[in-house]
Amino acid sequence: MSDREQQQPTPRHGKVLEALARADRKMFTRPAPKSANAEVKFLLTRMTGSARSLAERVGTSTRTIERYRAGKLKKPQKRLQAALVEATESDG
């Protein structure tokens, strides 16, 4: 193998490392929250309670985050649900 081939990681290599990181998180942590309310509360504790920073991270308004925290909203739209799951898995 040449030096060039050894230095450039393949796209598959990145996916393998990502899968290993996910497996590691699942193995050594408690299960991720399932409901939107629980995900928001979990993320807020990780982000020191800032609804504004969480809202920016998942791409929604601060008021929406506050409604999920209070339990007034139950089922998020698909885009927000995907962002909450991604944020929860990356912080978990």
Side-chain angles (χ1 to χ4, degrees):
M1 248 188 220
S2 70
D3 289 336
R4 181 181 170 153
E5 290 174 350
Q6 290 178 350
Q7 291 176 354
Q8 293 180 348
T10 62
R12 193 171 183 193
H13 180 71
K15 289 182 181 181
V16 169
L17 291 176
E18 188 177 306
L20 285 172
R22 275 194 317 268
D24 187 43
R25 283 193 304 267
K26 287 182 181 179
M27 186 172 204
F28 295 108
T29 61
R30 65 182 184 185
K34 299 294 181 193
S35 71
N37 182 311
E39 288 173 332
V40 166
K41 286 182 179 181
F42 171 80
L43 291 169
L44 285 171
T45 58
R46 293 291 179 140
M47 301 180 85
T48 64
S50 174
R52 178 179 288 159
S53 62
L54 177 57
E56 289 174 3
R57 182 173 177 183
V58 298
T60 191
S61 70
T62 303
R63 184 69 185 127
T64 298
I65 295 299
E66 291 170 355
R67 287 179 181 136
Y68 280 108
R69 179 177 19 192
K72 293 180 180 178
L73 293 178
K74 303 287 183 193
K75 182 144 174 72
Q77 295 177 353
K78 289 181 183 180
R79 181 190 56 78
L80 178 57
Q81 180 63 38
L84 287 172
V85 168
E86 182 180 327
T88 302
E89 287 178 354
S90 68
D91 276 359

